[in-house]
């Protein structure tokens, strides 16, 4: 009944209140339906079979030109007004609307297929005490569903129970954030007791003990089973992926719910046999869909300019028609009476009425200034250029069999005008893969190779690798090239062995040994996994752990350490320590962390070693590596016993626990002995630094918007060459108050530009179709030198407020590089919208996860990275490919060519049509302003559709100023597109002036040469039909030769289209003006014999030649002078292409050593709390049945045998029994 009420409420427009709080009962669909919550189906399609025709037609009629053409068609149906047949407009209009409708229908059919595929997935739902299969679209809010290993999460769920100890589940969030390392979620203990008890879960419905609050789970034990009642109260649907607020009340006690208790749609369950969840948000209300953002119809800047130009053309057309109407009134008054004898007026017709009708007649005659074929051609050009992107083998990624894809066909030329790129980091710039790259042990640097002359050798895939076959437990996928480190370890170096012993015991990694020697590691952060794997390969294999012990195989010998304490990592401490006791009874503290933190706690005797290690750290930081300092300390047993006692007292204290633990950690982590430093590479995607360098040369600014920590994002900035040591300064904005953020932004701005005004300059102008909108822009301010800006998410939240956002924009735009850390999906979109609004430039957003979708949709162009990280960003993008490096080809080649081709097309198209139309204007002064046409009616009909269609399409599809290699060699060629140099209002006026001159020549030269001319046989040649044929033949010659001048790149297709067009013109003319056509269709083809009688006269061909020369030679002369006096960057590069051979690629050399002297290379993506988790006895408990970690059929990147992706453990039987 609730569903019926909900349906009719929506059907008859019942007011829907904004949801402020979500209330729901478990297993009570009737109750939950009264709130009209969204079901779990999704809908991304726009039409259905009934709404397609009216909606699509309505959308197409929102284009001003289509409304205009419909109006013309109606005018042509009025005999008193139209001098042209109705089909001259009806046929092309039907073609335009039909082609667009078919394209829209095809796109929407694909959306329907995708929706159907997702909505028809099946999931287990608990109904009436039993688990039944239901389609995703049938799942409702309040249902309890069962998920199994490797299944997608159906909706946003409150986790109730799981098969794992401590009610843990492991989820892969690649679809949400692009990160492939597993995340841990944990249910509350009170709901975990439900386990997989169907009776208890079914009774979880609130019918017996109703309380109006949320997630109330009241449990009472009767007859050995649970009788449960449950209701939920939580926040309304929102797009915050990292936050959730709700309440669980049990027996009068409240338990808070946070993000760790929730499974989000888009995640995949991993390494968990089963779990149960309560549906909180479904379908459009899920955080995944909320982050999809509002789909907007994106239009290019040329589209917006075209609308303005079309409006101006309408005004110009109206003025021309007004002139013609006034001329008709004057002519009818003065001269019209002379023609009454053979052209009498119809009854009631006056000069004024004739003038009025003449106005509308000329609206029809001169309508070719905005031809319908313009929009058909634009769509074909965009479609063709989209196919070129799809077919580009140089943007195909063979490893994942992923081609580039243009998912929209309306934005190609916009790719040639990008000024700002907003990029995600993880999965977009990086592969989310960590590799142990270098290390410094006891003052010696390992990991680099040198030749006999002492020169550093670049490491490539062909470089010889270290052979770890001596270590039976080594990871075969681990790669290292410096043989000296293995030799040092084998020789028994105490420092090297202590270094790797520290890496093997100081961590929170969980191992699993499925078969002897077949080890898998599950690390909370990929950094830790890389370090433990490195220790494993160098002979210190982390084998297993219990809450009290850690077992390591040290150079083939099993050693079990007693784990006394784990001093966990957090973002303030920036370090982690473990205290272990060896079998010999020696107690040692091992510590790893940031250099700035560890150095303060070193023993004074380490000063000299610290200086050498610091030099190595600077080199690592210069290479963009993530570094950690490793140190240890031997502990006295008596002191240790006292410290353990105090530690226990503080741990159980109710007040001041955190402060007390911090003091104890500070006390024991002093006078450490330095071992060395590790350097881990957050592996970039191939070609990322080179791509960023190329785009920077094209004057494109790149901003990185990431959810990672500041240290990690800064480190990647240096790796990508976005941040460089030679920058004058790199500003960090991290204040926690609005005033603090303002002060930091102003200080940075004043340092970069001391003379800049304190108040931002905002230029306002009118914009929009009818100039009804106000456009605000903040001009760029010049700075001396290059700067960088790094801003944290909490500071960015203040900076995006209304009174600070312009200060943020000014400061950020002065910088060469901007990196925003710890940002939410909403903040990403807000940053993009801020730049869009006030810089009036074209923006592009690129990402790979669901957290990037709102940014991708907010930008002018959205690009999705497809591959292992998920497809959510791709589904919302305009273009997609598999690797970031393909972005430079998309922009510098396809984007630039598309923009150049579109601009050439528009210039030429307006030229040929204004020239065509202006001839009518001059002819009006010779035909009494009677709206008689110069050309044959059939020529008017097919001029744009047949005669001139293919040549201009050939130009617009195949032309290129230089080839792709020269485009990469000179990325500066991209800059004119950013500045609208190829097509603008100014260039449009030039086209009109050029057309005006050409039309004067095309009308008056043939008129002057024929007015008193006779044929060879003495007969008069100056009849209307002969003049019409001569004028249209001259027009065809001129516009085709003009196109030849505009073509830079000739292909067989261009040649065929140009000469084929002229051949088709003459063939069709001779056919239509033949005796046979006249005899069959007498009224339709009145120009009988005109072609053969006129084109056999020499003076006609001389007139054609003279007219063509007079139109073309001035263009050639002006272009020659401009080439000599003011050559453009395109002219210079084309000249270079003719004179020079493209230089061969430079031989690969190792990049120059960059040494950082002012920053730490520390970056560690670890989270607090895992120390407590891994020392809990419950986490190591072995269940009776445990699923395979990953099935062979899974397509998850976590199961693709990659060394940096680590998996959770199953302990030995005796360990489980011990626990």
């Amino acid at each position: 009944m609730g569903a019926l009420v909900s349906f009719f409420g929506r059907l008859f427009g019942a007011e829907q209140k904004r949801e402020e709080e979500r209330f729901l009962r478990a297993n009570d669909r009737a109750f939950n339906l009264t709130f009209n919550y969204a079901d779990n189906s999704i809908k991304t399609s726009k039409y259905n079979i009934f709404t397609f025709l009216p909606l699509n037609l309505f959308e197409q009629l929102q284009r001003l030109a289509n409304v205009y053409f419909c109006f013309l068609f109606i005018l042509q149906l009025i005999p008193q007004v139209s001098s042209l047949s109705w089909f001259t407009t009806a046929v092309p209009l039907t073609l335009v609307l039909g082609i667009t409708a078919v394209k829209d229908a095809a796109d929407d059919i694909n959306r329907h297929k995708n929706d159907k595929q997702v909505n028809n997935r099946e999931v287990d739902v608990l109904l009436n005490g039993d688990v039944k299969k239901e389609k995703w679209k049938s799942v409702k809010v309040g249902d309890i569903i069962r998920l199994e290993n490797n299944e997608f999460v159906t909706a946003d769920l409150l986790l109730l129970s799981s098969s794992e100890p401590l009610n843990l589940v492991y989820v892969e969030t690649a679809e949400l954030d692009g990160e492939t390392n597993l995340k841990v979620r944990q249910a509350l203990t009170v709901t975990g007791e439900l386990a997989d008890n169907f009776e208890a879960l079914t009774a979880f419905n609130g019918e017996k003990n109703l309380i109006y609050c949320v997630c109330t789970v009241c449990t009472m034990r009767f007859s050995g089973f649970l009788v449960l009642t449950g209701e939920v109260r939580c926040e309304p649907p929102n797009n915050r992926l990292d936050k959730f607020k709700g309440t669980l009340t049990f027996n009068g006690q409240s338990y808070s719910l946070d993000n760790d208790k929730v499974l989000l749609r888009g995640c995949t369950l991993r390494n968990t046999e089963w779990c149960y969840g309560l549906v909180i948000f479904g379908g459009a209300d899920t955080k995944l869909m909320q982050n999809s953002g509002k789909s907007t119809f994106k239009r290019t800047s040329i589209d917006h300019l075209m609308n303005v130009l079309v409006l101006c053309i309408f005004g110009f057309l109206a003025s021309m028609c007004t002139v013609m109407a006034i001329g008709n009134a004057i002519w009818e008054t003065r001269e019209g009476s002379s023609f009454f004898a053979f052209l009498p007026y119809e009854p009631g017709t006056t000069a004024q009425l004739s003038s009025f009708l003449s106005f509308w007649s000329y609206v029809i005659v001169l309508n070719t200034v905005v031809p319908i074929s313009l929009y058909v051609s634009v769509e074909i050009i965009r479609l063709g250029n989209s196919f070129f992107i799809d077919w580009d083998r140089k943007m195909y990624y063979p490893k994942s069999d992923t081609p580039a894809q243009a998912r929209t066909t309306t934005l190609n030329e916009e790719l040639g005008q990008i000024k700002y790129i907003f990029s995600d980091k993880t999965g977009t710039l990086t592969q989310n893969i960590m590799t142990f790259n270098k290390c410094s042990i006891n003052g010696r640097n390992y990991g680099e190779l040198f030749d006999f002359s002492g020169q550093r050798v670049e490491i490539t895939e062909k470089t010889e690798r270290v052979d770890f076959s001596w270590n039976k437990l080594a990871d075969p996928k681990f790669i290292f090239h410096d043989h000296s480190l293995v030799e040092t370890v084998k020789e028994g170096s105490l420092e090297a062995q202590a270094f790797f012993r520290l890496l093997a015991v100081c961590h929170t990694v969980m191992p699993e040994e499925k078969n002897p020697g077949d080890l898998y590691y599950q690390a909370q952060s990929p950094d830790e996994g890389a370090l433990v794997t490195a220790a494993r390969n160098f002979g210190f294999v982390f084998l297993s752990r219990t809450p009290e012990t850690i077992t390591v195989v040290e150079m083939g010998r099993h050693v079990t350490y007693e784990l006394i304490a784990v001093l966990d990592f957090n973002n303030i401490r920036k370090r982690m320590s473990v205290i272990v006791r060896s079998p010999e009874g020696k107690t040692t503290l091992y510590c790893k962390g940031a250099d700035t933190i560890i150095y303060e706690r070193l023993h004074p005797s380490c000063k000299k070693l610290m200086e050498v290690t610091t030099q190595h750290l600077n080199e690592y930081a210069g290479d963009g590596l993530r570094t950690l300092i490793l140190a240890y300390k031997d502990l006295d047993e008596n002191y240790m016993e006292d410290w353990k006692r105090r530690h226990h007292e503080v741990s159980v204290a109710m007040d001041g626990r955190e402060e007390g633990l911090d003091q104890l950690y500070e006390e024991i982590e002093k006078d450490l002995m330095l071992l060395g430093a590790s350097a881990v590479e957050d592996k970039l995607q191939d070609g990322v630094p080179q791509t960023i360098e190329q785009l920077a040369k094209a004057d494109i600014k790149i901003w990185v918007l990431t959810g990672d920590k500041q240290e990690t994002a800064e480190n990647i900035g240096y790796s990508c060459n976005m941040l460089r040591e030679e920058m004058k300064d790199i500003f960090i904005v991290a204040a926690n108050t609005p005033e603090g953020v303002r002060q930091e932004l102003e200080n940075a701005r004043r340092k970069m530009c001391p003379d800049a005004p304190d108040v931002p300059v905002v230029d306002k102008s009118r914009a929009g179709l009818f100039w009804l909108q106000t456009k605000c822009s903040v001009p760029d301010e010049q700075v001396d030198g290059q700067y960088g800006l790094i801003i944290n998410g909490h500071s960015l939240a203040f900076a995006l407020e209304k009174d600070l956002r312009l200060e943020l924009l000014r400061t950020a735009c002065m910088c060469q590089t901007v990196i925003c850390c710890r940002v939410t999906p909403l903040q990403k979109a807000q940053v993009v919208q801020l730049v869009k609004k006030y810089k009036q430039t074209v923006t592009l957003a690129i990402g790979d996860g669901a957290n990037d979708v709102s940014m991708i949709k907010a930008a002018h162009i959205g690009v999705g990275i497809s591959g292992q990280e998920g497809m959510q960003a791709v589904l919302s993008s305009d273009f997609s490919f598999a690797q970031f490096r393909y972005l430079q080809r998309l922009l510098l080649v396809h984007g630039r060519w598309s923009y150049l081709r579109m601009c050439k097309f528009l210039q030429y198209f307006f030229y040929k049509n204004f020239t065509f139309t202006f001839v009518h204007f001059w002819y009006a002064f010779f035909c009494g302003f009677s709206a008689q046409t110069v050309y044959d009616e059939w020529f008017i009909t097919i001029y744009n559709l047949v005669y001139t269609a293919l040549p201009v399409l050939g130009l617009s599809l195949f032309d290129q100023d230089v080839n792709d290699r020269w485009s990469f060699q000179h990325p500066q060629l991209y800059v004119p597109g950013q500045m609208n140099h190829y097509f603008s209002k100014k260039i449009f006026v030039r086209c009109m002036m050029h057309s005006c001159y050409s039309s004067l020549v095309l009308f008056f030269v043939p008129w002057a040469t024929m007015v008193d001319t006779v044929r060879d046989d003495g007969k008069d040649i100056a009849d209307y039909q002969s003049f019409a044929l001569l004028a249209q033949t001259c027009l065809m010659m001129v516009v085709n030769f003009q196109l030849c001048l505009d073509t830079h790149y000739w292909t067989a297709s261009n040649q065929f289209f140009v000469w084929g067009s002229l051949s088709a013109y003459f063939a069709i003319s001779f056919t239509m003006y033949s005796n046979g056509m006249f005899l069959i269709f007498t009224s339709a083809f009145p120009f009988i014999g005109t072609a053969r009688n006129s084109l056999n006269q020499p003076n006609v061909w001389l007139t054609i030649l003279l007219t063509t020369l007079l139109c073309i030679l001035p263009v050639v002369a002006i272009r020659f002078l401009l080439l000599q006096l003011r050559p453009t960057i395109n002219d210079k590069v084309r000249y270079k292409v003719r004179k020079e051979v493209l230089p061969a690629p430079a031989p690969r050399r190792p990049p120059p050593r960059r040494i950082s002297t002012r920053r730490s290379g520390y970056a560690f993506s670890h989270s607090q709390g895992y120390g407590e988790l891994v020392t809990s006895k419950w986490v190591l408990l072995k269940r009776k049945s445990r699923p395979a970690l990953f099935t062979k059929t899974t397509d998850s990147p976590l199961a693709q045998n990659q060394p940096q992706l680590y998996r959770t453990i199953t302990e030995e039987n005796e360990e489980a029994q011990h626990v």
Side-chain angles (χ1 to χ4, degrees), residues 225-435:
F225 66 93
L226 294 173
V227 178
L228 303 166
T229 60
E231 292 184 355
V232 173
R233 181 183 198 174
C234 62
E235 61 186 18
N238 59 75
N239 63 355
R240 295 189 296 272
L241 290 171
D242 57 342
K243 292 183 180 179
F244 179 81
K245 293 181 180 179
T247 305
L248 167 67
T249 305
F250 169 64
N251 280 347
Q253 295 184 1
S254 295
Y255 301 86
S256 64
L257 301 175
D258 56 25
N259 206 47
D260 289 336
K261 309 295 186 297
V262 175
L263 304 181
L264 300 182
R265 178 172 179 152
C267 298
T268 305
L269 195 67
R270 299 295 188 198
N271 197 24
T272 306
E273 183 178 359
W274 53 261
C275 74
Y276 285 89
L278 175 66
V279 178
I280 301 174
F281 303 123
D285 288 345
T286 59
K287 291 182 182 288
L288 177 70
M289 298 304 294
Q290 290 282 313
N291 269 289
S292 296
K294 184 179 180 181
S295 294
T296 57
F297 179 63
K298 295 183 178 181
R299 305 181 68 185
T300 66
S301 55
I302 284 185
D303 276 335
H304 292 292
L305 177 59
M306 282 286 297
N307 270 345
V308 174
L309 292 182
V310 166
L311 193 63
C312 294
I313 290 171
F314 289 164
F316 181 68
L317 175 63
S319 63
M320 284 198 301
C321 294
T322 301
V323 171
M324 299 294 99
I326 294 172
N328 178 267
I330 296 173
W331 188 89
E332 289 289 348
T333 302
R334 294 183 178 181
E335 305 291 340
S337 58
S338 305
F339 297 87
F340 283 170
F342 54 90
L343 287 175
Y345 279 149
E346 292 185 7
T349 302
T350 62
Q352 291 77 14
L353 179 60
S354 174
S355 173
F356 176 76
L357 296 176
S358 176
F359 175 88
W360 296 109
S361 297
Y362 270 108
V363 168
I364 296 172
V365 170
L366 303 178
N367 79 85
T368 47
V369 288
V370 189
I372 302 174
S373 59
L374 170 66
Y375 293 96
V376 178
S377 302
V378 165
E379 294 297 328
I380 294 174
I381 292 167
R382 287 171 172 169
L383 184 63
N385 286 316
S386 297
F387 282 136
F388 291 150
I389 294 174
D390 295 342
W391 296 337
D392 192 344
R393 297 182 65 181
K394 294 181 180 179
M395 295 173 66
Y396 169 74
Y397 190 58
K399 290 184 179 179
S400 60
D401 189 28
T402 306
Q405 184 180 9
R407 297 177 54 81
T408 179
T409 60
T410 59
L411 302 174
N412 304 79
E413 67 269 18
E414 197 90 317
L415 291 170
Q417 298 181 276
I418 303 298
K419 183 67 176 178
Y420 287 89
I421 293 177
F422 301 91
S423 174
D424 180 39
K425 183 192 78 69
T426 306
T428 303
L429 300 177
T430 68
Q431 301 181 39
N432 200 33
I433 292 175
M434 303 293 177
T435 57

Side-chain angles (χ1 to χ4, degrees), residues 766-909:
R766 308 302 296 179
L769 187 59
F770 295 98
W771 291 273
L772 299 177
Q773 302 172 2
T774 301
K775 181 175 69 175
C776 299
S777 62
V778 176
D780 291 332
E781 298 174 80
Q782 298 297 322
V783 297
D784 183 18
Q786 294 185 346
Y787 297 86
L789 175 68
I790 300 173
I791 181 168
N792 276 314
H794 57 268
S795 302
L796 184 63
F798 296 122
L800 288 171
E801 292 178 357
K802 189 173 183 179
D803 57 340
L804 273 180
R805 59 188 179 188
L806 288 182
E807 187 64 45
L808 168 67
L809 184 68
R810 291 181 69 195
T811 306
C813 290
M814 289 181 183
C815 298
Q816 182 71 19
T817 298
V818 178
I819 298 177
C820 302
C821 321
R822 288 296 191 195
V823 294
T824 64
L826 179 61
Q827 287 176 331
K828 289 184 178 185
Q830 288 174 335
V831 171
V832 175
Q833 290 165 349
L834 178 66
V835 175
K836 277 179 64 177
K837 181 177 181 181
Y838 288 103
K839 299 308 292 185
Q840 303 301 324
T841 53
V842 182
T843 60
L844 179 147
I846 179 170
D848 67 316
N851 58 340
D852 303 315
V853 169
S854 55
M855 170 178 73
I856 285 172
K857 289 190 173 181
H860 293 96
I861 301 286
V863 177
I865 299 290
S866 58
Q868 66 176 16
E869 292 83 4
M871 296 295 292
Q872 195 63 34
V874 171
L875 294 175
S876 303
S877 66
D878 304 305
F879 300 88
S880 68
F881 41 72
Q883 295 282 290
F884 181 84
R885 69 177 184 268
Y886 298 145
L887 183 62
Q888 64 173 322
R889 186 168 183 85
L890 182 70
L891 300 186
L892 302 185
V893 177
H894 291 288
R896 197 178 68 82
W897 283 350
S898 295
Y899 174 70
L900 188 65
R901 291 164 179 168
M902 182 61 71
C903 293
K904 275 193 173 185
F905 164 78
L906 292 175
Q907 289 184 51
Y908 175 75
F909 206 93

